[in-house]
Amino acid sequence: MNTIVAEFAATPFNTAAPLWQPGEDDTFECVQVRDETHDVKTFVFKAVPARQFRYLPGQFITLELEIDGEITNRCYTLSSTPTRPDCVSITVKRVPGGKVSNWLHDNLKPGSRVSVLGPAGEFSFALYPQRPYLFLSGGSGITPLMSMSRALTDLAQPTDIVFVHSSRSPSDIIFRHEVVLLARQHPGFRQVQVCQGTAGEPEWSGLTGYLDRAALERSVPDFKERTVFCCGPGPYMAGVRKLLEESGFDMAHYHEESFNFGELTAAAGVEPAPACEHVSCESAGFKVRFSRTGDEITVAAGQTVLAAAQASGLRLPASCSQGLCGTCKSKLVEGQVDMQHSGGIRKREIDQGMFLPCCSKPLSDLVIDR
Ligand code: FES
């Protein structure tokens, strides 16, 4: 074997690696950190032990990080594509004052290991395959749409995608050159960049200002015939929803992703926690005691532990309220619950007595280690 062939044979391809098993495999090792813009980095991971990743383009993972002695969970959409299954990546913007994004930017290096839950989520073209697509993203909301774009173009299927991305300025455009390249190489892929201002780039050839109805009609005249996937900051998505609704777009073909799970919960019509005076606490409730703080609450029939705690003014860590992200994970010291989770906890954690208060209803009085 000559040297080049020997080196190639020693590269970390591992096509014989078994598939990633969410719920069992949960350790990622960072293998590369890439600067995307002045405040955005991509972190590339491999599985430990080696695994082939399978997920839907657009899905997210939850990182479980120990920061300042505290376990903190945070959801990030995968920016990678499952068509390149040896590694996955997340792309993270440094948010001023943001605990997790700053920690990742400052601490995560090749060789660092993190604990991961997921993948999860239903924000994926793979679940809505019928119509041409319109991808709309703002800022770092580009990540799930980049995953979908990479997957669709990698598969070399006939595609019809228009990708409209909004940024503050040209230097803030994430994946700028790659998106241009995809549009050059794939006839069914068209990209439109919108920047609020052109700071420092007088030759800017994209749109300037905000994505409004006139700009959308001009750039994507057939947008009403497309399935829209939208991801970005809350105000951006609210603006897009308003624009589409006022244009007569059929919102049955609109899908959005946000990690402001409070908003998602409200939008999904999940009932807010009932206040205690509206339910018969004495007759129907179970007592829940928090062993470290000594707080005690009553959980009404049909109520989750988290909802009851929030209604009583207690603050428990929580994010999705849907059993997805793992943020509320707690140790159940005594008692039994009916837990209907959506992948936010591993089987071995359940075996060790952990549970998710956001999706658990008591079946007896409880004692929780908090
Ligand atoms: Fe997300 Fe409970 S808050 S799993």
Side-chain angles (χ1 to χ4, degrees):
M1 205 183 290
N2 68 34
T3 319
I4 292 174
V5 173
E7 276 177 15
F8 186 75
T11 56
F13 293 122
N14 195 345
T15 51
L19 288 179
W20 173 258
Q21 300 295 337
E24 286 176 27
D25 303 322
D26 61 2
T27 305
F28 284 4
E29 182 174 312
C30 180
V31 289
Q32 190 182 50
V33 180
R34 290 197 294 259
D35 287 323
E36 301 290 356
T37 70
H38 58 100
D39 60 356
V40 175
K41 288 182 192 289
T42 289
F43 301 92
V44 184
F45 301 96
K46 68 175 183 180
V48 181
R51 294 282 186 261
Q52 295 264 299
F53 291 102
R54 283 283 164 86
Y55 55 96
L56 298 179
Q59 285 192 302
F60 66 88
I61 55 172
T62 304
L63 299 189
E64 240 175 27
L65 305 165
E66 189 175 336
I67 302 177
D68 300 333
E70 252 184 37
I71 298 295
T72 304
N73 285 31
R74 195 66 94 248
C75 303
Y76 287 100
T77 315
L78 293 167
S79 50
S80 51
T81 164
T83 49
R84 305 172 207 171
D86 290 299
C87 295
V88 291
S89 64
I90 58 172
T91 300
V92 180
K93 181 181 169 71
R94 188 193 279 274
V95 179
K99 178 178 171 184
V100 177
S101 65
N102 281 286
W103 188 91
L104 291 171
H105 273 242
D106 294 337
N107 294 282
L108 202 60
K109 307 266 183 313
S112 306
R113 291 189 173 187
V114 292
S115 186
V116 174
L117 274 162
E122 298 184 346
F123 183 72
S124 178
F125 74 85
L127 301 174
Y128 305 94
Q130 307 89 354
R131 310 206 311 175
Y133 300 113
L134 172 57
F135 293 168
L136 297 175
S137 59
S140 55
I142 194 171
T143 52
L145 301 167
M146 198 60 200
S147 174
M148 293 191 226
S149 299
R150 286 168 168 161
L152 281 162
T153 51
D154 270 4
L155 292 169
Q157 298 293 310
T159 46
D160 185 348
I161 307 163
V162 184
F163 193 161
V164 182
H165 178 62
S166 298
S167 311
R168 190 168 293 140
S169 74
S171 65
D172 289 300
I173 301 174
I174 305 168
F175 308 128
R176 180 178 182 179
H177 300 296
E178 186 177 346
V179 174
V180 169
L181 193 64
L182 289 180
R184 271 201 204 123
Q185 293 178 332
H186 299 274
F189 184 97
R190 193 157 67 79
Q191 62 101 29
V192 178
Q193 298 289 347
V194 186
C195 283
Q196 287 169 32
T198 60
E201 191 161 319
E203 308 281 297
W204 173 245
S205 59
L207 303 181
T208 308
Y210 292 92
L211 181 67
D212 57 14
R213 186 167 168 179
L216 185 61
E217 284 175 345
R218 215 171 37 247
S219 314
V220 195
D222 63 349
F223 73 93
K224 289 185 197 166
E225 313 306 317
R226 295 174 177 269
T227 290
V228 172
F229 286 91
C230 177
C231 185
Y236 168 83
M237 293 200 298
V240 167
R241 277 196 304 274
K242 186 163 181 280
L243 184 169
L244 292 175
E245 280 164 359
E246 288 176 354
S247 308
F249 182 82
D250 178 357
M251 296 304 277
H253 297 291
Y254 173 81
H255 309 279
E256 69 176 26
E257 178 76 300
S258 159
F259 287 122
N260 184 343
F261 278 106
E263 274 183 19
L264 273 189
T265 305
V270 176
E271 279 187 28
C276 213
E277 59 261 33
H278 297 312
V279 294
S280 173
C281 293
E282 285 115 72
S283 59
F286 287 111
K287 293 262 181 270
V288 175
R289 188 164 59 80
F290 296 88
S291 61
R292 282 190 245 165
T293 62
D295 290 318
E296 206 168 288
I297 59 169
T298 302
V299 184
Q303 212 178 11
T304 65
V305 175
L306 179 68
Q310 289 174 334
S312 302
L314 300 185
R315 291 188 64 216
L316 292 187
S319 181
C320 72
S321 298
Q322 298 167 52
L324 273 169
C325 69
T327 305
C328 65
K329 200 178 300 161
S330 306
K331 175 98 173 167
L332 185 59
V333 183
E334 273 177 32
Q336 286 188 316
V337 293
D338 172 20
M339 178 167 61
Q340 303 292 331
H341 71 88
S342 305
I345 190 166
R346 306 167 181 89
K347 183 176 175 307
R348 68 166 182 274
E349 292 173 318
I350 299 172
D351 294 343
Q352 289 162 1
M354 306 302 286
F355 84 119
L356 300 175
C358 71
C359 56
S360 297
K361 295 173 184 168
L363 297 173
S364 67
D365 289 349
L366 309 177
V367 179
I368 298 172
D369 180 23
R370 277 204 180 274

